[in-house]
Amino acid sequence: MSRLGHLIGRLRSQVGLAAAALGVALAMLSGALTPIEDALAALRFQALQRAPSHQITVVEIDVPSLRAAGRWPWGRDRFATAIGNLQAAGAKVVAFDVDFSANSTATTDKALADAIAARPGSVILPTFVQPVRRADGRTSLVETSPLRGLSTEALLASVNIPIDPDGRVRRYTYGFGADETYRPSMGASLAQTPQQRRDSFLIDYAARVGEIDHLSFEDVYSNRFDPRLVRGRSILIGATALELGDEFATPQAGTVNGVYLHALAFENLTSGRAMTTPPAWMTFALACLLIFFLRANHQTARGSLSRRHVAVGVGLLTLPILLQNLAPVSLSVAPLVAAQLACLLWATQAELARRARSIIEEREAGLLHQALHEPETGLPNRRALLSEVTSRMQGAEGGALAVVAIGIDRYPTMRGAVGYSLSNLIVRGVAARLQAVCGDGQVAHLSTSVLGLVLHRADTHTLLADLKRLETLDPGHEVAGHPVDAFIKLGVSHRTSTQDDPERLLENAALALDEARRLNRRLVTFEAETYVDPSLNLALMTEMRRGLHAGEISLHYQPKLTLTDSAVHSVEALVRWRHPVRGPIAPDSFIGIAEETGAIRELTEWTLERALRDRAALKASGHDVVVSVNLSGRLLADRGFCDNVQAMMAGRDHGICLEITETAVIENPTAATASIAAFRAAGLKVSIDDYGVGLSSLSYLKMLDADELKIDKSLVVAVAQSQRDRLILKSTIDLAHSLGMSVVAEGVETADVQAALALMGCDAIQGYLISRPVPLADLTEFLTGWGETPRLAAVG
């Protein structure tokens, strides 16, 4: 029996040895050990850090250099100046990690060529190999070299940096190609490494990259640098500004600019620290020996095995460091560590299995809690609320169910006043109060200032009663001994059919909360018939763009009557849309959506172009009128739109007036002032529209250089009703005249209002009393008839 047990033990030992060796081999082949190897190599580099040789100086094309030049790419005369300044300071060689493969200007290219030719062979220019797709669809590698005129008197070096499959740089190549096509790498060329070497070496990141001497290109260009950082040294010029994108990921030094990787390769080569690594088979053999040394069996004492593991662990930490310090050899330690770990797992299999099960159970419990709770407040999160809603919907088909979104008013202001920690206490306090009121209702933390709640009651009456209790919830809380009010608003979504899923109910509750905040009401219930699906708005904008090209959208024009001569000198262009399926679509239904979705710019540019064409047609028929076009306030800050308008009007007899709403001016006075000045510089007239709708500001009227003030209908109609309103309107007209603006009153529908406006000195009127908005053909007929026998149109 003992012999059988001994045989079984030996068999297990042999199987264990084979399994451990196989596991190490698979780990090496799959690259799974790469992160461990990187971490261990980083420890060695950290332990063996050394200062750079100060034989090379990097000239950085950094942010100050880009800002000083004002543009990129630069004219090559700047590089020529830099070469001259560096060589005058005693630079040994000047190398570039800058692409010179494309033409710049003849003058600047010649300046750079002359600077290179001044000292032949003392400037190194970069080449790089990149894939190019051929006409047959295949990809080939092509070397991109500097312009022939630049490279004649310069040395060439490759700036290609090999990147490992994981996207990190660990190795550096001596050169590429062979014989006449051989190209040394930049670091090898600077270090004057023998030619024709095409192998690579491991980069020794122990050299402190941050201590490599460097200068800003702007300082070199301006010749205000310390010549001691240049004299007798190799100079490498390259990009370090983030926007130029010359960065590489490394396993030890984080993200490093390409120019510093070349400098680091130079440091490795000149200091004899171009590192090599033993072949993989040798490392695997060492791992197998280690497995044999640390093998566990029934004859090995636990204490002896522990001492072996301690000795091996110390050796794996110290011996590679000592070896790397004595010679440029980087020992692959990760497979050896993996071998030791395999032996540890082998020796403690049962104990580790038990602990693993315990750890997994605890971790799963922790992950489940984290997945269903907010970390800051410890409250259940959105996922937990959705799960609860699903459970309530499945558990009881009857009764009334609602999802409530609870928003805490002015939460950002409160958080700024009391801090994050105390504001989280307030959120938990509100949640606890909600829980206390609703009993079994699930309260969750949905976002920074929004809580969620699911209520399931036997009938609708009970549910509404609970919602009423929530609406009157006491806002007072005490935090750190101080009273704080946390007022809430409620958005409610009722389950109305079996088709309502938890996500939809929660989304509808959030929409109702947004509406409650907009209307400043304590509670708003979601109503599907009043909600417009955003996807429908996007579809409407798609149809509007199609309608612009299909001729569905047109312009109607409403005349403005000048009261002094009873003539029509201007009209307002108004957009009309007749949809082939929906019929006429009111402007209020699509212009607001166009503003929100960004389509307003395309619509306005189309309107301006059509207005220009229609005005030209009117002028050809003998009616020279000014055409007013409404301009959305969202376009005032759009510099591209303003430039397009100026270009559109350049050199044309446009006769266009832009009507800008008073509210748009008040919301963004700086942009409005700049845009109005630009429009007037282009010869456009500018009108301030809807004056009197918002908080009319006299200071803005004084600040804005407008031609016309257009008084809103709400003020005009009141003229016939109140002496007070007449006084306000009269003072507004006088103020506009004193500021050099004419005044137009819109919405005039009765002769009495017209007469009153005339007495007040109003310049022009617009409204149904004169004419409704009409198509171009009808406008031409109207203008012809008005010119022959001026009249007033009937109202209605």
Side-chain angles (χ1 to χ4, degrees):
M1 193 71 181
S2 59
R3 174 173 289 186
L4 180 60
H6 179 72
L7 290 175
I8 293 175
R10 289 187 61 182
L11 181 60
R12 287 179 177 175
S13 177
Q14 292 173 359
V15 171
L17 285 170
L22 180 61
V24 171
L26 291 176
M28 292 177 65
L29 292 174
S30 66
L33 299 178
T34 300
I36 300 175
E37 188 63 56
D38 288 343
L40 294 172
L43 291 175
R44 296 197 296 274
F45 290 137
Q46 188 68 26
L48 299 175
Q49 278 199 355
R50 65 181 186 279
S53 64
H54 301 295
Q55 298 180 49
I56 188 169
T57 297
V58 173
V59 175
E60 297 183 347
I61 300 177
D62 51 10
V63 173
S65 302
L66 295 178
R67 290 178 177 171
R71 63 186 179 90
W72 179 265
W74 297 332
R76 288 175 180 158
D77 53 338
R78 296 181 71 85
F79 295 112
T81 302
I83 291 174
N85 292 342
L86 291 169
Q87 290 179 343
K92 179 180 177 182
V93 63
V94 178
F96 286 89
D97 185 7
V98 178
D99 182 15
F100 293 125
S101 61
N103 287 310
S104 180
T105 64
T107 303
T108 59
D109 283 348
K110 184 177 185 307
L112 180 56
D114 292 343
I116 295 172
R119 287 179 57 182
S122 63
V123 175
I124 303 176
L125 298 181
T127 70
F128 54 92
V129 175
Q130 59 183 338
V132 175
R133 186 176 294 276
R134 300 185 308 196
D136 59 3
R138 297 181 179 180
T139 300
S140 60
L141 295 178
V142 176
E143 182 183 46
T144 301
S145 303
L147 297 172
R148 185 178 299 276
L150 300 179
S151 60
T152 304
E153 301 295 339
L155 300 177
L156 299 180
S158 173
V159 293
N160 283 95
I161 297 175
I163 300 175
D164 285 353
D166 64 351
R168 300 178 185 274
V169 176
R170 297 180 178 85
R171 311 187 71 86
Y172 194 85
T173 305
Y174 286 98
F176 304 87
D179 299 329
E180 294 182 358
T181 64
Y182 178 77
R183 192 76 68 204
S185 63
M186 181 62 74
S189 181
L190 289 170
Q192 298 181 350
T193 302
Q195 298 286 310
Q196 300 302 323
R197 289 196 64 174
R198 298 186 300 278
D199 55 324
S200 61
F201 60 89
L202 287 175
I203 298 176
D204 183 4
Y205 286 100
R208 291 191 283 269
V209 179
E211 294 183 10
I212 294 178
D213 293 323
H214 58 276
L215 296 168
S216 172
F217 185 92
E218 178 59 24
D219 291 338
V220 172
Y221 175 74
S222 303
N223 207 15
R224 55 170 184 264
F225 58 89
D226 187 351
R228 291 176 298 178
L229 297 178
V230 174
R231 189 177 301 113
R233 297 189 183 188
S234 297
I235 307 299
L236 181 56
I237 300 175
T240 60
L242 287 177
E243 52 264 45
L244 299 184
D246 189 22
E247 293 185 332
F248 295 85
T250 67
Q252 286 84 26
T255 301
V256 177
N257 295 107
V259 66
Y260 278 100
L261 285 177
H262 296 304
L264 190 58
F266 169 86
E267 291 284 348
N268 290 171
L269 292 170
T270 55
S271 62
R273 298 297 300 177
M275 302 186 66
T276 60
T277 184
W281 67 264
M282 185 179 295
T283 303
F284 179 69
L286 288 174
C288 291
L289 289 175
L290 194 62
I291 291 172
F292 183 79
F293 178 68
L294 295 175
R295 71 190 185 282
N297 54 47
H298 63 283
Q299 295 178 341
T300 306
R302 183 176 301 176
S304 174
L305 187 61
S306 298
R307 287 190 293 272
R308 290 184 191 181
H309 275 285
V310 171
V312 169
V314 172
L316 292 179
L317 287 176
T318 58
L319 291 179
I321 295 176
L322 294 176
L323 177 61
Q324 189 168 318
N325 186 46
L326 295 174
V329 177
S330 177
L331 184 63
S332 296
V333 182
L336 306 181
V337 173
Q340 183 180 18
L341 290 176
C343 292
L344 284 172
L345 291 173
W346 179 11
T348 59
Q349 181 179 4
E351 177 65 17
L352 289 178
R354 184 191 65 78
R355 294 186 180 183
R357 286 193 298 270
S358 176
I359 291 173
I360 290 174
E361 291 173 359
E362 292 178 2
R363 183 175 296 176
E364 287 180 348
L367 290 175
L368 181 61
H369 184 273
Q370 291 179 10
L372 297 177
H373 291 78
E374 282 293 323
E376 292 184 351
T377 60
L379 295 171
N381 61 12
R382 178 188 180 91
R383 185 180 291 109
L385 182 63
L386 290 173
S387 177
E388 179 69 15
V389 175
T390 302
S391 176
R392 297 292 182 96
M393 293 172 67
Q394 295 175 348
E397 297 183 0
L401 186 142
V403 175
V404 187
I406 303 101
I408 302 176
D409 288 350
R410 302 175 62 252
Y411 182 79
T413 303
M414 179 176 62
R415 183 177 59 190
V418 303
Y420 278 84
S421 298
L422 295 182
S423 61
N424 286 332
L425 289 177
I426 294 173
V427 173
R428 286 199 291 269
V430 173
R433 195 162 292 177
L434 292 170
Q435 192 75 59
V437 170
C438 298
D440 63 341
Q442 172 74 59
V443 180
H445 192 180
L446 302 182
S447 65
T448 304
S449 62
V450 178
L451 297 171
L453 172 67
V454 55
L455 292 176
H456 186 218
R457 297 294 181 261
D459 52 62
T460 303
H461 177 75
T462 306
L463 179 63
L464 294 177
D466 282 347
L467 290 174
K468 189 65 178 178
R469 294 169 64 195
L470 293 177
E471 188 177 2
T472 58
L473 195 68
D474 181 14
H477 295 265
E478 185 173 318
V479 178
H482 300 284
V484 176
D485 287 337
F487 293 94
I488 61 174
K489 287 184 173 60
L490 309 174
V492 182
S493 174
H494 293 275
R495 185 190 184 193
T496 57
S497 72
T498 57
Q499 302 299 321
D500 291 334
D501 59 80
E503 283 281 1
R504 177 63 60 85
L505 288 173
L506 186 55
E507 180 180 348
N508 291 345
L511 291 171
L513 174 60
D514 292 340
E515 189 69 5
R517 285 171 165 169
R518 187 181 70 84
L519 299 175
N520 196 25
R521 288 166 49 185
R522 289 295 298 274
L523 186 147
V524 169
T525 300
F526 177 82
E527 297 178 359
E529 58 273 12
T530 63
Y531 168 68
V532 179
D533 190 340
S535 62
L536 298 180
N537 292 339
L538 294 177
L540 187 64
M541 290 301 96
T542 301
E543 294 183 15
M544 186 198 75
R545 289 187 169 94
R546 178 192 53 76
L548 289 175
H549 303 288
E552 299 170 11
I553 297 178
S554 62
L555 293 184
H556 284 204
Y557 295 92
Q558 187 172 29
K560 301 178 184 179
L561 176 67
T562 303
L563 295 178
T564 54
D565 59 3
S566 295
V568 175
H569 297 295
S570 61
V571 296
E572 180 180 0
L574 301 168
V575 178
R576 295 294 183 264
W577 183 6
R578 178 170 290 278
H579 194 277
V581 177
R582 305 184 189 186
I585 299 179
D588 292 343
S589 299
F590 65 90
I591 290 181
I593 301 174
E595 289 183 323
E596 295 298 328
T597 60
I600 191 64
R601 174 171 172 172
E602 182 179 357
L603 178 61
T604 304
E605 290 177 346
W606 177 91
T607 301
L608 285 169
E609 189 62 44
R610 178 56 60 89
L612 287 169
R613 288 160 50 187
D614 289 353
R615 182 185 178 277
L618 287 170
K619 188 174 182 180
S621 63
H623 306 294
D624 190 2
V625 294
V626 174
V627 178
S628 297
V629 175
N630 289 286
L631 181 64
S632 169
R634 293 184 179 271
L635 296 175
L636 286 176
D638 189 338
R639 190 66 259 171
F641 170 79
C642 296
D643 293 340
N644 283 353
V645 171
Q646 294 179 72
M648 190 184 301
M649 303 301 167
R652 301 172 73 168
D653 178 21
H654 50 76
I656 296 294
C657 176
L658 297 179
E659 293 191 2
I660 302 171
T661 62
E662 176 211 8
T663 52
V665 174
I666 293 175
E667 289 174 1
N668 198 341
T670 303
T673 303
S675 298
I676 289 174
F679 293 147
R680 287 183 60 83
L684 292 161
K685 293 182 178 297
V686 175
S687 173
I688 304 302
D689 195 11
D690 295 338
Y691 185 79
V693 173
L695 299 174
S696 303
S697 173
L698 301 181
S699 61
Y700 289 133
L701 286 183
K702 180 179 68 174
M703 177 180 63
L704 295 173
D705 186 15
D707 301 278
E708 180 182 273
L709 183 67
K710 198 169 184 182
I711 300 175
D712 186 71
K713 178 180 179 180
S714 60
L715 284 181
V716 172
V717 172
V719 167
Q721 301 173 357
S722 167
Q723 177 65 25
R724 181 184 181 89
D725 290 327
R726 286 195 290 273
L727 291 174
I728 293 174
L729 189 56
K730 171 61 176 172
S731 63
T732 301
I733 293 172
D734 292 342
L735 174 62
H737 286 163
S738 66
L739 295 175
M741 290 185 282
S742 62
V743 179
V744 177
E746 60 180 347
V748 178
E749 298 182 354
T750 66
D752 292 341
V753 172
Q754 178 202 9
L757 291 170
L759 290 174
M760 294 179 190
C762 184
D763 300 291
I765 61 173
Q766 177 183 352
Y768 287 175
L769 181 66
I770 310 303
S771 172
R772 291 176 177 271
V774 294
L776 179 64
D778 294 346
L779 175 66
T780 304
E781 181 180 349
F782 171 86
L783 293 175
T784 301
W786 188 276
E788 295 173 354
T789 55
R791 64 196 184 282
L792 291 180
V795 179

